[in-house]
Amino acid sequence: MTTAVVRRGGWAVALWLAGLIACGLLVARTPVTADLSAFLPRSPSATQQLLVDQLRDGVVSRLILVAIEGDTPDRLTGLSRALAARLRGNPLVAAVENGERTGRGADGAYLWSNRYLLSPAVTPDRFTAEGLHDALRNDLRLLQSTAGMALKQALPADPTAEILRLTDRMLGDAAGPTSRDGVWVSSNGTRALLLVQTTAPGFDMDAQQKTLDLIRNAFDEAQTATGSARLVMTGPAVFSVQTRDRIEADARRSSIIATVLVAGVLLLVYRSLRALVLSLLPAATGALAGVAAVGLSFGTVHGITLGFGVTLLGESVDYAIYLFTQTQPGSPARRTLLRIWPTLLLGVATSVVGFGTMLFSSFSGLAQLGLFSITGLVVALAITRWGLPTLLPEGYSTDRPARLAPVLTALTRSAPALRLPLAAATLLSLAWLAYQGPTVWSAELSSLSPIAEADQQLDEALRRDLGAPDAGHLLVTGAPTVDGALAAAERLSAPLEALARDHLITGYDSPALVLPSLETQRARQAALPPPDQLRAALTQALQGLPFRPDAFAPFLTDAEKARTQALLTPASLDGTSLKLKLDSLLVRTGTGWTAMLPLRGVTEPKALADRLAGDPAAAGATLLNLKEESDGLYRTYRQEALTLAVLGAIAITLLLAAALRSVRSLIAAVMPLAAAVVITMALLTALGQALSIFHLVGLLLVVGVGSNYSLLFERPEPSAALRERTVASVAIANLCTVIGFGTLAFSAIPVLHGIGMTVAIGAFLSLAFAAVLSRRQPAGAEVPGHG
């Protein structure tokens, strides 16, 4: 019999090691992401899907706002030019803008070659004798201005200055940044500004990390040894990479601190390195298996899920503590496991049911947390059940925890005297939560954001100076075809220009600016006269002006070429950064195409909405306030999470009812958990915290952890000594749980802070309330089905 047991134990250890190797290989190949859209719906509405796409891959998600500060104005502008020159042409960078009109390469060639098809100023009147005369007179004035050098080079082929109009419009110079020596600077002149658009989508953080490193290295190369300038960057790509790094750093730091503190407690209790290592093995294996399961199922593991790993240490180490502490001298560990196994199994089952509801969430981030927790707990329990007994020496037992037992048992025996105060505290907490109403829960998506306040303020400052599009307002229109969507976007230009004149917006962007509709292109071609007619109009326009008659021969050639050239299509932009801009603002949605027009500098959102609603040219377009849409999306998410939590609570109650088969035992098991959840919520809100979905995840974990305490307190023991050991094991396990989660409460990441604080408070209260509400059980046979 003993040989068979040893053989089975050997196989269990072999399978354990094989599983560890397999999980390790999976984890090593699983990328970590901090993409916030993992916590957005997988199957949202059309409007929500548009928002998700913008967060993941829209033009806003690809922008890096760069500032150079800390030196003299001349040195700052020089560094801006040097940095831009080093970045242009790199495959990681789609575009670099810093106010310079040089270095545009393919973009400049596209604008120059197609200026007559792209410029909204191309009308029949512009190419009459009167129109050309007015344009040439304007050229004379411009030649005396700072734009004279650029105009002088283009003038023979472009006397109507279409290229200047185009570049000004593309760069938004009318409402763009302040310029110094042809380079963008902040309004107070203390920063040189650049706008970098990445080739990679916003959610590809490895590529974004490489791009950020590229910018830093290019700045270091441009910076001289004696310079004092500093590089500052912000934007979605910067925040995503920072978030991933901060979550990983916080998770690593919390894991180390929690492991050291828990190890210290276990060493103090057991005075055995073997017991310490064996106690931590189930938790470590469970966390590794959880990450592997998430990577296998989702392809990536979210940084928040990774940060959640430290929480498993707090709960899964409990199983080994129950085994070691409740093993008496002369009684093998396997016998202890047989005695406590039904209770442990039921406790884990309640956690699995609670977290199992998260698997049905339409939010992949929440589903990741559920799968991670379920896998980790089940694996940790399995290792405790079949692995640890094999690794324990024959006759293992410990008396040290038993020395604490009399004191702890005395406390638990006196705890029921606090039932009335507990009832009063619970009722008071319920009243407080009812008084707070819906404000108990955060209603904003920003509650998930780990971005520091200082970083947000820097981002806002640079966006103001640059006039960069932000996640503020978006005008959306569409049609069944690409050309139809472009035409719909063009119809919005008149109302938007009027809004800009009335200072309700400072500017806007549109896919039709880089690719007009076919109808518009044909109209502009028709506005160009035939060669003989254009030559005659030009000859008449030159009268009285100091230009040579033959100076504009290139203009006549280019105008005729434009009049007969093939019309532009999306393929015409291949090889330019404008192609990326078009693809970002013109996207396929369902069976049609959607054109997105980001609005800049919205000053009065309600007046803006009213004007657009009353303008026939804007009929069929939708104005999106992206903050309101994202907050509405978050509220939908929160409501779903709450619904799943309620269903999980019902399922846990039904499971306990089926296992305990006693209404009295069921009430005794559930009441401490309910009181702990209610009072924990009240304490958190009283401390000024608005509860987020991550507090909800923490409350689910409180139920999972606390159910073990309630069940162990309710389980009758065959002797007073075993009862004392049970109390000691629960107290030690609770201390380790509070330590594990308590370290997260000090995290600067709101997600980890919320989960850590919630579970640390809730787990302690669950233990205290389980003692207060426990029934005095006489030593004797255990309740059938409960162990």
Side-chain angles (χ1 to χ4, degrees), residues 360-385:
F360 298 98
S361 171
S362 62
F363 307 89
S364 61
L366 196 59
Q368 278 197 23
L369 291 179
L371 179 60
F372 174 83
S373 301
I374 290 172
T375 304
L377 292 176
V378 170
V379 169
L381 182 66
I383 297 302
T384 303
R385 174 66 176 84

Side-chain angles (χ1 to χ4, degrees), residues 707-787:
S707 64
N708 291 321
Y709 306 149
S710 296
L711 292 171
L712 285 167
F713 265 108
E714 282 299 305
R715 190 189 71 217
E717 298 291 358
S719 68
L722 279 175
R723 181 69 180 174
E724 290 182 347
R725 282 181 173 268
T726 297
V727 171
S729 68
V730 172
I732 297 168
N734 180 260
L735 177 58
C736 292
T737 297
V738 172
I739 289 174
F741 285 95
T743 55
L744 286 182
F746 295 97
S747 171
I749 305 297
V751 175
L752 303 181
H753 170 79
I755 292 174
M757 177 171 284
T758 302
V759 182
I761 295 173
F764 174 76
L765 293 180
S766 294
L767 172 65
F769 298 164
V772 170
L773 298 174
S774 65
R775 295 175 294 161
R776 292 189 178 181
Q777 297 286 351
E782 297 179 11
V783 177
H786 179 33

Side-chain angles (χ1 to χ4, degrees), residues 9-64:
W11 279 109
V13 173
L15 288 173
W16 182 7
L17 293 175
L20 280 174
I21 294 172
C23 290
L25 292 174
L26 281 172
V27 170
R29 301 175 61 180
T30 301
V32 178
T33 178
D35 180 14
L36 186 59
S37 67
F39 288 87
L40 297 174
R42 284 180 288 194
S43 301
S45 66
T47 301
Q48 291 172 340
Q49 185 60 56
L50 184 63
L51 173 61
V52 172
D53 291 342
Q54 281 295 292
L55 287 172
R56 285 177 56 83
D57 194 18
V59 64
V60 173
S61 75
R62 296 172 181 244
L63 294 181
I64 300 175

Side-chain angles (χ1 to χ4, degrees), residues 16 277-287 316 320 376 379-381 383-384 388:
W16 182 7
V277 173
L278 293 182
S279 298
L280 297 177
L281 279 177
T285 306
S316 53
V379 169
L381 182 66
I383 297 302
T384 303
L388 293 191

Side-chain angles (χ1 to χ4, degrees), residues 30-34 205-206 209 240-256 301-308 744 747 749 752:
T30 301
V32 178
T33 178
M205 281 192 297
D206 288 338
Q209 177 72 72
S240 293
V241 172
Q242 286 179 349
T243 297
R244 180 185 62 179
D245 294 344
R246 287 174 179 173
I247 289 175
E248 290 180 349
D250 263 27
R252 189 181 304 112
R253 181 170 57 251
S254 298
S255 297
I256 293 172
V301 58
H302 201 281
I304 291 170
T305 305
L306 195 65
F308 202 61
L744 286 182
S747 171
I749 305 297
L752 303 181

